[in-house]
Structures are given as C-alpha cells and as structure tokens.
Amino acid sequence: MTTTDTGSSPAVFAEPTGTALSLLLLGQAADPRSERGVECPGDLPAPSDPDLVARALAAKEALGERVFILGHHYQRDEVVQFADVTGDSFKLARDAANRPDAEYIVFCGVHFMAESADILTADDQQVLLPDLAAGCSMADMATAEQVEQAWDVLEELGIAERVVPVSYMNSSADIKAFTGKHGGTICTSSNAERALTWAFEQGEQVLFLPDQHLGRNTAVRRLGLSLDDCVLYNPFKPMGGLTADQLRNAKMILWRGHCSVHGRFTKECVDEVRERIPGVNVLVHPECRYEVVESADYVGSTEYIIKTLDAAEPGSKWAVGTELNLVRRVANAHPDKEIVFLDKSVCYCSTMNRIDLPHLVWTLESLVAGKPVNRITVAPDTAALAQAALEQMLALP
Ligand code: SF4
C-alpha cells in the first residue's frame, strides 16, 4: 500500500492514478486496496462455444438442489436466465440464508455481495463468485485502513463517542465489521432513512460510508437536514481535508465514495430527456448525485424502480437512471410502455459485467467435478462484527 507521510498528521493514502484505475477495471494488475481479486485464473470455456447454454443447463441439472444460483438485477441476461432468484444485494443474501439445504451458493453479483452471503449462511455452505475480479468500485473507495485512520482523527478531536457509523450494504466485510465494532448499523437504499433516524437517536453525528450521494440525498431530502450540515471526508487528505471545526459541527460526515455507474448521470441528462420526450417521468436511484435526484420525479431503490415500472400505466413514458442491463430487461418486459435509459451513452457496471456465461459454466462444471472454485470466505472475527451491524439493520424500528 502506498502511503504519504505528512509529518505530524497521520499518514494519508495516495490517491490511485487514472492508469491504475483503468487497469483495475480491466481486471489486470493488482491493488491491495481492492476488496476483490483482480485476476480470475481458470480453464474457462471459449465465449464462442455454441454449447455454453446446454453445458450450463446440464451442470445445473446434475447439481440439483445442491446448488442455489443468485442473480443480481444488474447481471447480463445470459447469466440471469440461470438464476434461481433475482434481486438486489440484500435480498439475495437473505435468499441464500433461507436455503440452508443448498451446499453451494453461486453468487452472480460482486465481491461484497458474496461476502454478505457468506456471513449470513451456515459455515458448511460454500459461497462462490464466478469471477474474482467482479468487484465494486464504490466498495473499494473505503478500505479498512482508511476508515480506521478517519476514526483515529475523530478520536483525537474527542468526538468519536458521539459519532455513529452507518454503512451502506455496498461495502466490504471489513467496513461492515468496523460499523459493528463501533455500534453502528448497515443500511440499504430502501431503509437508509430509517437507519439515519435511528443513528441520530443514538448519537449526535453520523459517519456515512461509503456512498456520499445516498448519505446526502437521504439526510437532506428525507430527514430535512441542510447541505451545510454535511461535510465530505476525503481519505486522501489529512483530516479528510476538513478543519477540526467542520468535523465537530457537521451532522453528517460523508465518506468520499460514489458509484461509478450512477455517478455518471447529470442534471443535463434530465433536462435533455425532458426536452426530447415530452411528458416523460424521470425515475432514478438514490446513488445518483444530489442535483440529479432533485430534478427527478421519482427516486428509489432498484426494487422500487422495478415495482414502479411494473405498475405504470400502459402508454406512460419513463427515463430511468440506473444500470443499463436492468433498464433494458424491464423495458423488454413492458413493450406497452416507453422506457428509456436516462443517459445517451452506455452505462453498464463494468465489474458486475465480468460475470458472463463462460465463468458461470466453469464454476458449475467445477462443482460437478467436485472441485469448487472461487470460494469467498470472511474471517470469523470479521464476520461476527459485520453480522452485528447487519442484525442492527434488521432490528431497525
Ligand atoms: S452498480 Fe455501482 S454500487 Fe453497484 S456494484 Fe456496480 S459500481 Fe458497485
């Protein structure tokens, strides 16, 4: 890990360069800050193999009830067709926990989701991620070392005991464990308002990790805080780039993390689609920037987006700001409604898309051969603390 010594202040982490980031997105090179692996060795079938669908079907049938395949909403159709259930990250982790008879859980999602499934399932169940390089750039934006260092800053200022950590589900097991260790809670995009309300009953300030946009949107739009009540903590700067007074006075200390997919939507996208499609309803995910969410008509989680579009009137028009695989799938399911993607350019989750049919076939056939690959395990002490934070979420009023 690269650190920069700043003298009297604690060392801060050097920000990754553009080159390093682009190599990571391509699944090459190595970065110890990533919550995932960056390479996925294995004897993968060729993507051009015309028998891939038949091979996946045969392997799934051979495994029967021993395997349970989870498909995140943002996965490719070629993978989702083999999923036993689809859903968002938390629903899928709970679905896995509700299948104690399944020996293997194949998680077609990203690394932090497989970790959550491992935490919530029994020790004798194995959770497999078909491609170890399928990570989440948002989860990678808050590492355990960075967050511990930020907590040290709050302790040195004498305010840590009044700060309650609230961490988005989209975070590594280490960050969930940090949250449990300090009496905080996990939240999803569906229950972030309830989580923040609870946190402000436990303390005076919230450290919100790692998605600044979900934190800000929820605090300002749902809890009635002002933008000035929120500060942005940059882990690459001493004291997060903030003054002691800014840290002491903030209600919300937002981690400087974001989703690289939802962060692409801009206010200009909303203005452009309203001009292009008169009468269009703009529906976005709360991981979008504040100004995008403010200019939208409807805001909600992936599950909310799906339900809203399912229930929409025939002939209604929708521009949707979330991952493209999902938007396309819902649009195909509702040809009687005009459902378009909010941005003009393509916007997949590149790491989520690393899981393709060859990786799924390889994983399933390895199980048939009795040689499981890409098992994701969380260390017991980390899992115990992370589970405490997850259970606190389940106990939210
Ligand atoms: S869509 Fe965003 S938050 Fe979800 S896995 Fe991809 S990068 Fe992470």
Side-chain angles (χ1 to χ4, degrees), residues 50 57 95 111 114 133 169 211 214 243 248 265 277 322 345 387-388:
L57 279 172
D95 286 344
H111 191 270
M169 190 73 186
D211 183 17
L214 178 64
T243 65
R248 282 194 192 101
F265 300 113
I277 309 177
T322 191
S345 54
Q387 185 150 9

Side-chain angles (χ1 to χ4, degrees), residues 57 60-61 63-72 79-87 91-92 95-96 99 102 104-108 360 364:
L57 279 172
K60 195 173 177 216
E61 199 178 315
L63 290 162
E65 297 290 304
R66 294 172 65 208
V67 72
F68 189 49
I69 304 179
L70 308 173
H72 190 272
V79 168
V80 164
Q81 65 179 319
F82 294 104
D84 293 304
V85 286
T86 57
K91 175 183 177 292
L92 291 177
D95 286 344
R99 280 294 303 269
Y104 304 113
I105 308 291
V106 175
F107 208 130
C108 299
L360 181 61
L364 294 176

Side-chain angles (χ1 to χ4, degrees), residues 74 110 112-113 135-138 170 259-262 287 323 349 351-352:
Y74 299 169
V110 295
F112 77 80
M113 300 176 188
C136 166
S137 54
M138 179 200 286
N170 300 17
C259 167
S260 46
V261 175
H262 293 94
E287 287 173 21
E323 206 269 349
C349 175
T351 46
M352 185 83 77

Side-chain angles (χ1 to χ4, degrees), residues 4 171 341:
T4 306
S171 57
F341 190 57

Side-chain angles (χ1 to χ4, degrees), residues 219-234:
V220 176
R221 290 171 47 85
R222 310 296 302 181
L223 266 63
L225 299 187
S226 73
L227 287 174
D228 290 340
D229 289 324
C230 308
V231 293
L232 194 59
Y233 193 99
N234 182 347

